Each structure stands twice: as C-alpha cells, then as structure tokens.
C-alpha cells in the first residue's frame, strides 16, 4: 500500500504536472443537479492551498476507483485516505467522476471519502481547481 500513498516528495512536482495533464483530459464534473459541493469542500472556483501536495481520486461508472491513475479497491482507498490524512502538510484530495453517474452515487462517494479524510476541513475538492 505504501506505493499508493502520495508521490515521493522529491519527484512530486514533475510527476504532478505530467499526471495532471493526463488526468484532466478525462475528468468530468458531477451532473449539474448535484454540483454543489458539501460545506467545507472546494469547488472549481476555489484555489488549492498553497504548496499542498495533490492526490486525485476518480470514480468510474462501474464503481471502480483510481488513485493517482492507479486502479484501487475501496478498502485500499480507505486505508490510503486514513494514512495520508496524517501527512504534514496534508495532501489536497481532488475528486472527479465519469460522466453518467447519478447524484446518489456521487453523494455516497463524497460521504465515503469524507469519513476517512475529513474533507469538510477544506482538504478536498472537485473539478478543475486552480493551483
């Protein structure tokens, strides 16, 4: 599981630029009717905290997840979130979704993530945030 944590610190900046470029090509925002993020979460109009490492978590239509581009189980994601929540500085978590997900799927996913990562404290966001 340690290979799924935040990218090693010395290589994070370069890998972030490459990875973010690849990931943004396929990222979707939630459907309009469920785009309002929960209290404390950042949306596409917000800025990611300065110098915060960034991790991405993607939910596919079939319920599968990808952590920084790597396929992971929900149990692995929960463990990763609980572990990285103790990192200092705490990495920012950016969620995105496949198109076609229902609001119910998105709400359940947000709750799953928030329980392990305390997103309501400004540690998470959705969409294409500014850095």
């Amino acid at each position: 599981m340690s290979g799924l944590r935040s990218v090693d610190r010395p290589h994070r900046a370069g890998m972030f630029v490459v990875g973010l470029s690849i990931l943004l090509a396929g990222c979707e925002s939630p459907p309009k009717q469920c785009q309002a993020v929960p209290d404390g979460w950042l949306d596409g109009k917000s800025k990611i905290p300065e110098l915060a490492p960034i991790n991405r978590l993607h939910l596919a239509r079939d319920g599968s997840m990808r952590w920084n581009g790597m396929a992971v189980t929900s149990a692995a994601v929960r463990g990763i979130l609980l572990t990285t929540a103790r990192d200092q500085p705490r990495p920012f978590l950016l969620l995105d979704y496949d198109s076609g997900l229902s609001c119910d799927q998105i709400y359940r996913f947000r709750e799953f993530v928030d329980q392990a990562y305390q997103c309501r404290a400004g540690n998470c966001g959705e969409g294409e945030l500014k850095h």
Side-chain angles (χ1 to χ4, degrees), residues 22-115:
I22 292 167
L23 290 170
L24 283 178
C27 109
E28 292 285 332
S29 295
K32 286 192 187 286
Q33 65 270 26
C34 52
Q35 279 187 350
V37 296
D39 290 339
W41 288 48
L42 302 180
D43 61 16
K45 298 176 182 103
S46 305
K47 274 188 91 165
I48 295 173
E50 196 70 29
L51 302 177
I54 300 171
N55 288 310
R56 291 186 71 93
L57 182 58
H58 177 83
L59 178 64
R61 267 190 303 279
D62 65 4
S64 64
M65 293 181 232
R66 299 186 76 74
W67 175 263
N68 292 330
M70 297 172 53
V72 290
T73 65
S74 60
V77 169
R78 181 163 172 71
I80 293 165
L81 293 174
L82 289 169
T83 300
T84 57
R86 293 188 301 260
D87 287 353
Q88 292 300 323
R90 180 181 291 199
F92 187 80
L93 181 60
L94 187 58
L95 281 68
D96 65 55
Y97 313 94
D98 275 352
S99 60
L101 287 172
S102 70
C103 289
D104 186 56
Q105 289 171 297
I106 291 171
Y107 296 149
R108 284 185 282 133
F109 185 59
R110 287 173 178 164
E111 184 63 28
F112 165 76
V113 171
D114 191 42
Q115 287 177 358

